Amino acid sequence: MRLQFLPVVLLATFSIAPAQTVTDATHSAIAATAPDISPVNPDAPSSSLPDAPQAASQPQLPTVTPSGTVTGPVPEHKANASRYHISKWHGVLDPGDKVPHLTTKDKMVFWLHEEINPISILPAAIGAGYSHMIGGDPKYGNDAPAFGERFGAAMLRDASMRFFSDSLVPTIAHEDPRYFRMASGGVKNRALYAAERVFVDRRNSGLRGIDYSDTLGRLGGALLTQAYYPSASINNGVIFRTWGYSMLGGVGDNLLLEFWPDIRDRVFRRHHDQP
């Protein structure tokens, strides 16, 4: 878990006095065709000058008050409380929501609530499929049984990483493993915020600091793979590649948590607006 200055153009103006030797007839002819040039008062403000450069507005990041309430811009979907409800476990809280307190016991079982979510098998299935296609680690072969072994290993790897990063390390480091959305603002700022949360998280005290839960927890899960991977995949390179891919996966998870409610809101609204 991101100013440009505009140049100011100076305008110089001056007036030209008509020559005294021009006859009245000639002067009338010139006046009829020449544009009107009026003298400029140097003390008067010029409407042609550009506005002074303004500092770009910074996105308002979600924060948690001492009373446990998430503050920040309120997203549109908050207007329909009957459609969206707050859960202690889902890890997505919007501004205006009260942050449910997590006890030590809650943290130790938090990974189970994520593990039993049906969508949790998707990363394992995608990872196993890609590894099987390119013949990557863990090296079980390329036949049908090998894919089953890869899928099983991926499920075990993801489950261990969830246990370390969502339960064990947050309990020891006194960190909150949940993700709090920015909920509104530009897509780029929200995406950068989501990515940053993999490396910076919230402490129980409300302060922010290094995200030991994700960095160390995912590393622990990567180290544990050496206990059940085939011998051809037991080496330091596999450990650090597994850790790196897992950190990228954490960024993807946060992006999904950040933008999925907006996608869901658009789909539901479109369905609701249809006759």
Side-chain angles (χ1 to χ4, degrees):
M1 44 151 339
R2 302 170 180 167
L3 287 170
Q4 293 178 342
F5 295 92
L6 299 177
V8 178
V9 179
L10 301 178
L11 302 180
T13 60
F14 57 91
S15 59
I16 303 176
Q20 297 297 323
T21 58
V22 181
T23 64
D24 293 341
T26 305
H27 178 73
S28 301
I30 294 174
T33 58
D36 182 27
I37 303 177
S38 302
V40 177
N41 182 359
D43 297 328
S46 174
S47 60
S48 62
L49 289 176
D51 295 335
Q54 301 292 329
S57 58
Q58 297 296 323
Q60 183 180 357
L61 301 182
T63 58
V64 181
T65 66
S67 62
T69 302
V70 182
T71 62
V74 179
E76 290 184 32
H77 65 255
K78 293 297 293 183
N80 193 337
S82 62
R83 185 178 298 165
Y84 305 100
H85 63 281
I86 302 171
S87 169
K88 177 192 297 187
W89 306 111
H90 61 33
V92 180
L93 298 174
D94 293 320
D97 291 342
K98 187 77 173 180
V99 178
H101 176 67
L102 285 183
T103 65
T104 299
K105 180 180 178 180
D106 289 335
K107 289 183 182 180
M108 289 305 297
V109 299
F110 182 51
W111 73 282
L112 288 175
H113 288 268
E114 294 194 314
E115 193 65 26
I116 63 177
N117 191 328
I119 202 173
S120 66
I121 68 172
L122 287 180
I126 294 172
Y130 179 73
S131 175
H132 190 75
M133 180 177 64
I134 66 172
D137 297 296
K139 299 187 182 301
Y140 288 110
N142 295 311
D143 54 7
F147 174 77
E149 291 178 300
R150 279 195 172 91
F151 180 65
M155 289 288 291
L156 181 57
R157 180 192 64 224
D158 290 354
S160 63
M161 286 186 175
R162 290 190 186 102
F163 171 71
F164 288 129
S165 62
D166 294 338
S167 290
L168 183 61
V169 179
T171 300
I172 297 173
H174 305 289
E175 295 177 357
D176 191 331
R178 296 169 298 182
Y179 175 80
F180 299 97
R181 303 175 63 223
M182 179 181 285
S184 63
V187 172
K188 179 181 178 180
N189 285 332
R190 293 175 65 184
L192 291 175
Y193 168 81
E196 187 185 65
R197 295 284 75 74
V198 176
F199 306 96
V200 179
D201 72 349
R202 176 177 174 268
R203 304 286 188 263
N204 291 345
S205 62
L207 300 176
R208 295 191 300 170
I210 298 175
D211 189 345
Y212 295 110
S213 297
D214 267 317
T215 54
L216 297 183
R218 295 176 185 275
L219 178 58
L223 286 168
L224 191 60
T225 60
Q226 303 298 282
Y228 54 86
Y229 270 11
S231 58
S233 297
I234 299 179
N235 56 70
N236 291 334
V238 171
I239 293 174
F240 287 103
R241 280 196 299 272
T242 302
W243 182 38
Y245 289 144
S246 176
M247 295 296 288
L248 289 176
V251 172
D253 290 343
N254 286 353
L255 289 172
L256 180 63
L257 291 173
E258 178 66 38
F259 292 106
W260 168 244
D262 297 318
I263 299 172
R264 176 185 60 187
D265 183 55
R266 288 178 180 272
V267 172
F268 283 158
R269 179 187 298 171
R270 183 181 302 173
H271 178 74
H272 178 75
D273 292 341
Q274 288 178 350

